[in-house]
Amino acid sequence: MNLDLFSTTTDDGVIKTQIAEQAWHLADLVHAQDEQIKVLLREIIQQAPLRQMVTPGGQLMSVSMTSCGDFGWVSDQAGYRYQSLDPRSNLPWPNMPALFKTLAKEAAEKVGFENFEPDSCLINCYAIGTRLSLHQDKNEVDFSHPIVSVSLGLPATFLFGGLQRNAPQTRLALQHGDIVVWGGLSRLAYHGVLPLAAGEHGLFGQQRINLTFRKSH
Ligand code: MD6
Ligand code: FE
């Protein structure tokens, strides 16, 4: 099924497409900040390296992950959760850079979520061929806050489904610099990412980086 997707242009020239109830795609919002983001990401990854986590069911995830902010999302045999310490080092996660927080807050505001205060930024790194299977983001304490998701590097196909795993899915092409924001009635929608197609991005090379900002607590 394909929802009726419609585009509007906001006052400040951002192309905004609603993908579901209270879910929006914002095209090319990152603009000129991408090089700065890359520098900040390198610093974060030096402190808290990307790693493949294991699902509670014992499967190695293909996407590599790390976090910054007051809390980081982790998965292991004991389950999915947020932790204030990186289990790899037992040190706090790197601070969330002000630039990251501002970007997330501004994106949320553009689609009507005022006062979004993310305390966690999950950094997903996709190599060619890796994917993220259909899931809900439900480890946060309060689902009234939206999620803001920033795509960098190679393009990917995002699957956006409904509140039940078997609901029909919409396919969305996510390009470098795009942001997806969702909350409210779509907050617990199932979603995933298809295997990353081969390619070479000018700034990020043969990978896709996704930053998802959440208020976890
Ligand atoms: C990704 N994103 O785009 C994976 N979750 O690489 C997510 O799993 C996600 O983009 C919640 C909200 C937005 C997202
Ligand atoms: Fe997710």
Side-chain angles (χ1 to χ4, degrees):
M1 179 194 76
N2 241 321
L3 294 175
D4 265 342
L5 301 182
F6 54 90
S7 290
T8 56
T9 304
T10 60
D11 296 343
D12 45 5
V14 176
I15 298 174
K16 194 166 77 163
T17 305
Q18 187 162 14
I19 54 179
E21 284 292 335
Q22 295 181 278
W24 289 267
H25 172 255
L26 303 168
D28 194 26
L29 207 68
V30 174
H31 294 303
Q33 294 161 328
D34 56 359
E35 296 198 9
Q36 224 176 322
I37 293 173
K38 185 180 168 184
V39 170
L40 293 166
L41 278 173
R42 188 176 294 143
E43 287 169 10
I44 291 166
I45 289 164
Q46 270 166 13
Q47 291 177 59
L50 290 160
R51 79 292 306 260
Q52 286 172 271
M53 294 195 246
V54 176
T55 66
Q59 283 200 325
L60 189 67
M61 298 179 74
S62 69
V63 174
S64 305
M65 300 179 176
T66 189
S67 288
C68 64
D70 293 340
F71 298 94
W73 185 87
V74 298
S75 175
D76 59 23
Q77 307 268 7
Y80 302 121
R81 63 196 174 275
Y82 284 94
Q83 283 194 179
S84 55
L85 300 182
D86 176 353
R88 193 176 168 279
S89 63
N90 269 320
L91 294 172
W93 298 97
N95 288 328
M96 189 186 303
L99 173 69
F100 284 23
K101 194 174 255 187
T102 303
L103 186 65
K105 284 174 69 74
E106 286 180 359
E109 225 171 273
K110 281 189 197 303
V111 295
F113 295 104
E114 308 286 335
N115 305 315
F116 177 50
E117 292 289 342
D119 61 8
S120 177
C121 170
L122 173 65
I123 299 162
N124 292 322
C125 180
Y126 295 77
I128 309 292
T130 64
R131 63 193 285 270
L132 195 61
S133 54
L134 217 57
H135 67 279
Q136 294 170 295
D137 287 23
K138 58 177 184 187
N139 304 119
E140 301 74 26
V141 167
D142 178 354
F143 300 138
S144 70
H145 303 287
I147 293 179
V148 173
S149 164
V150 178
S151 290
L152 298 165
L154 289 177
T157 303
F158 193 57
L159 300 177
F160 192 87
L163 299 179
Q164 248 94 54
R165 184 178 283 279
N166 61 3
Q169 295 151 13
T170 297
R171 287 181 176 215
L172 194 62
L174 295 181
Q175 309 287 339
H176 173 75
D178 290 358
I179 298 189
V180 178
V181 182
W182 75 62
L185 295 167
S186 285
R187 179 59 181 75
L188 292 176
Y190 277 89
H191 58 280
V193 178
L194 290 184
L196 193 73
E200 176 86 32
H201 183 267
L203 191 57
F204 286 93
Q206 297 184 3
Q207 58 187 342
R208 169 176 185 262
I209 309 273
N210 169 258
L211 314 178
T212 51
F213 295 89
R214 301 101 186 269
K215 174 133 180 63
S216 67
H217 286 78

